[in-house]
Amino acid sequence: MGKITGFLEFDRKVEAYAPVEERVKNYKEFTIPMKEKELKDQGARCMDCGIPFCHSGCPLGNLIPDFNDAVYRGKWEKAASILHSTNNFPEFTGRLCPAPCEEACVLGINEDPVSIENIEKNIVETAFEKGWIVAEAPTNRTGKKVAVVGSGPAGLAAAQQLNRAGHLVTVFERDEKPGGLLRYGIPDFKMEKQVIDRRLKVLVEEGIIFKCNVHVGKDIKADDLKNDFDAIVLSGGATVRRNLPIEGADLNGVVQAMDFLTQNNRRVDGIKDLGDEIKATDKNVIVIGGGDTGSDCIGTSFRQGAKSVSNFEIMPMASTERTEDQPWPFWPMRLRTSSSHKEGAERFFCISTKRFVGDKNGNLKGLVTSEVEWIKVPGQRPQLKEIEGTEKEWKCDLALLALGFTGSEMNIAEQLGLETDPRSNIKASEEDYKTNVPGVFAAGDQRRGQSLIVWAISEGRQAAYHVDTYLMGESALPLKGEGDLPRL
């Protein structure tokens, strides 16, 4: 559990950032690594708290005190083994997870919590550097074939677990390369794509087959896939974007955030054929939506050379501290300021976009907003009310809609006759991840809706256990919080 008095001796510390003026010149990751002594000190802060509530905060059930203690004692290979026993891809979560484990840290009740996510990242990076992460192909094969549709974190986790159980796994991806939104949604300055590629190399060496540029439901009929495989895991993303149905929404310059981010990721990857170019260069950019996608648009806009970047959020500005209705250890709706926000974006809260304004050629030149307030009514959801006399026009050449997602595409569900919920998520119980069609399972965003990477990995692992049980009658794969199975 770290050092008994560590939390009294050492303050919380995480990786620093390169200066803004340097990092916005490129799309490289810009964190500055910590020294090993500093990391050991951070591991030492993990308390002998009796009940590690960090476990309840982590959807994967990571054995957090165990790997913190190993880092404190300098046993990095042991730490890597502990971490990988519950998390297939800590290099993803160590960079991109909002760290619900830290919000549940016991030390966080009255002090800064243990820097769990930063420790996790450094464990896996050390493991890759030392050559400890190698392909471990199963020695025995069951002869059962499993199709995994979608190569995001849920699909990759399910594929690796099922391959470890000895099944023959084929992953189908509609884009040019595997990775899903990890590759085409997350900007390179948050995670360079070689981080994905080095892990994919291990998965391929373990025997997993990847078929890219194959859109199941279009290029291959879902029914044909069902006939060719013993089981199917549907693990696509929640890709149907939420629109803003107001006047002027069809103007040139009103763009969905994911179209903007995906095109830029392909541009950084060296792909030439990008279609109609979407760039923020020398433009007044307004990002509508205050979540992670909006933050990614801000950082990308600055790197493209935007003239100005503003961020609109219809919700009130949250508190930087916990409020009484969000007590520890629950996840609090704090005000979160990302590295991209700190690069110069101006943020506006309680603001609603009423209409877009265009020129005679159909190009966006501005937008009109009003301020709003949220009226709390006992027993009801807060009601939105526009404040009279607050209408304002803003100069805007590029409006990026970062409003979230409403579900996944329906082609596969319709072809297989799958039941869906009102948001087009595929219905599958969290108890066994089975759909209403035998042999077809669903996990990740396609089952639960838009969510976190850590939840996607967790669902992929859990679905794999139930697929293995369906195929073999029982499974040696782990459930949440359990160590991984011995290699076959």
Side-chain angles (χ1 to χ4, degrees):
M1 296 290 185
K3 187 178 182 182
I4 296 297
T5 58
F7 70 97
L8 298 172
E9 298 176 34
F10 308 110
D11 293 331
R12 174 183 166 95
K13 187 174 182 180
V14 295
E15 292 176 334
Y17 296 152
V20 171
E21 60 272 17
E22 293 181 12
R23 70 191 196 223
V24 297
K25 294 178 181 178
N26 57 63
Y27 292 93
K28 300 293 185 181
E29 294 181 26
F30 50 81
T31 55
I32 300 172
M34 295 168 62
K35 297 178 181 178
E36 183 173 358
K37 171 63 166 60
E38 294 174 315
L39 291 165
K40 288 182 178 181
D41 290 346
Q42 292 307 301
R45 296 185 74 238
C46 190
M47 305 165 65
D48 189 6
C49 57
I51 299 177
F53 278 83
C54 53
H55 285 185
S56 68
C58 178
L60 282 163
N62 282 341
L63 306 175
I64 295 165
D66 304 71
F67 66 65
N68 282 339
D69 181 73
V71 168
Y72 161 60
R73 300 180 189 284
K75 299 180 179 179
W76 288 90
E77 189 168 7
K78 179 181 179 181
S81 177
I82 293 168
L83 180 56
H84 278 91
S85 71
T86 56
N87 186 352
N88 298 68
F89 314 118
E91 65 271 33
F92 302 159
T93 54
R95 286 172 166 82
L96 304 171
C97 184
C101 55
E102 293 185 13
E103 293 288 5
C105 175
V106 173
L107 182 56
I109 295 174
N110 61 346
E111 297 286 348
D112 290 331
V114 176
S115 51
I116 300 167
E117 182 180 22
N118 196 60
I119 292 171
E120 179 179 317
K121 174 187 172 183
N122 279 276
I123 290 171
V124 68
E125 290 304 312
T126 299
F128 270 111
E129 180 185 342
K130 299 291 187 182
W132 299 332
I133 298 176
V134 295
E136 297 183 44
T139 56
N140 297 314
R141 289 290 184 182
T142 65
K144 302 289 186 179
K145 297 194 301 179
V146 182
V148 175
V149 182
S151 66
L156 294 178
Q160 185 169 46
Q161 293 299 99
L162 287 164
N163 184 70
R164 287 172 173 173
H167 306 306
L168 299 168
V169 180
T170 302
V171 179
F172 293 87
E173 171 55 54
R174 66 182 179 181
D175 287 319
E176 307 97 305
K177 296 180 180 179
L181 290 181
L182 289 173
R183 185 179 297 277
Y184 294 113
I186 303 296
D188 286 62
F189 58 80
K190 288 177 68 174
M191 185 175 72
E192 294 177 38
K193 302 309 174 254
Q194 61 86 17
V195 173
I196 304 173
D197 293 335
R198 69 182 178 187
R199 181 64 74 169
L200 288 171
K201 182 175 182 292
V202 174
L203 300 183
V204 170
E205 290 174 353
E206 289 179 344
I208 299 171
I209 298 170
F210 288 90
K211 293 188 176 182
C212 295
N213 287 313
V214 179
H215 192 162
V216 176
K218 292 185 178 180
D219 300 324
I220 296 178
K221 295 295 183 184
D223 287 337
D224 293 338
L225 207 64
K226 191 172 186 300
N227 292 331
D228 293 340
F229 290 85
D230 298 293
I232 298 174
V233 180
L234 301 177
S235 55
T239 55
V240 180
R241 298 91 181 264
R242 184 176 284 111
N243 293 312
L244 190 58
I246 59 175
E247 180 184 341
D250 58 346
L251 290 169
N252 296 323
V254 180
V255 177
Q256 283 285 347
M258 288 311 304
D259 292 339
F260 173 70
L261 294 173
T262 298
Q263 184 184 94
N264 195 69
N265 279 13
R266 288 192 162 98
R267 184 183 293 114
V268 173
D269 194 30
I271 296 174
K272 302 299 183 183
D273 185 13
L274 298 173
D276 295 336
E277 188 170 79
I278 311 167
K279 292 196 76 174
T281 310
D282 295 326
K283 293 180 180 178
N284 296 298
V285 179
I286 295 180
V287 179
I288 303 175
D292 290 339
T293 302
S295 171
D296 293 344
C297 288
I298 291 169
T300 301
S301 295
F302 280 125
R303 283 159 180 77
Q304 290 184 357
K307 186 183 299 182
S308 68
V309 183
S310 301
N311 188 198
F312 290 176
E313 170 58 68
I314 199 169
M315 300 299 294
M317 184 170 68
S319 169
T320 57
E321 304 297 329
R322 285 185 180 272
T323 56
E324 290 184 358
D325 60 342
Q326 297 176 354
W328 176 89
F330 297 104
W331 174 261
M333 299 303 292
R334 299 178 190 263
L335 176 66
R336 302 179 192 276
T337 301
S338 72
S339 59
S340 293
H341 291 134
K342 295 177 182 178
E343 290 169 1
E346 191 169 5
R347 304 169 77 181
F348 299 87
F349 297 88
C350 282
I351 187 168
S352 175
T353 305
K354 298 183 66 175
R355 62 183 180 274
F356 296 107
V357 180
D359 62 19
K360 61 182 180 181
N361 297 316
N363 297 313
L364 178 69
K365 70 174 186 178
L367 55 80
V368 176
T369 66
S370 64
E371 296 177 19
V372 298
E373 60 180 335
W374 292 86
I375 309 299
K376 293 185 177 181
V377 180
Q380 299 181 27
R381 299 182 65 180
Q383 298 177 6
L384 181 67
K385 180 182 178 182
E386 183 177 327
I387 301 175
E388 293 185 10
T390 61
E391 192 168 292
K392 178 180 178 179
E393 183 166 345
W394 306 69
K395 188 173 183 180
C396 178
D397 309 300
L398 178 63
L400 299 173
L401 308 183
L403 305 173
F405 303 85
T406 59
S408 60
E409 295 182 5
M410 298 294 289
N411 282 339
I412 295 176
E414 291 172 350
Q415 290 181 17
L416 290 174
L418 300 178
E419 294 178 358
T420 58
D421 67 18
R423 300 189 65 184
S424 78
N425 299 318
I426 293 173
K427 285 186 177 181
S429 168
E430 196 170 347
E431 293 181 2
D432 57 18
Y433 294 84
K434 292 180 179 178
T435 68
N436 60 299
V437 176
V440 180
F441 299 75
D445 287 4
Q446 202 159 22
R447 189 198 73 83
R448 67 183 289 119
Q450 180 187 5
S451 190
L452 305 176
I453 289 171
V454 67
W455 268 114
I457 297 173
S458 176
E459 292 219 349
R461 289 174 61 90
Q462 303 309 300
Y465 172 89
H466 294 290
V467 172
D468 189 33
T469 301
Y470 166 80
L471 293 173
M472 308 302 293
E474 59 182 5
S475 180
L477 290 170
L479 286 169
K480 177 179 175 180
E482 297 178 356
D484 215 338
L485 82 170
R487 296 294 176 262
L488 300 176

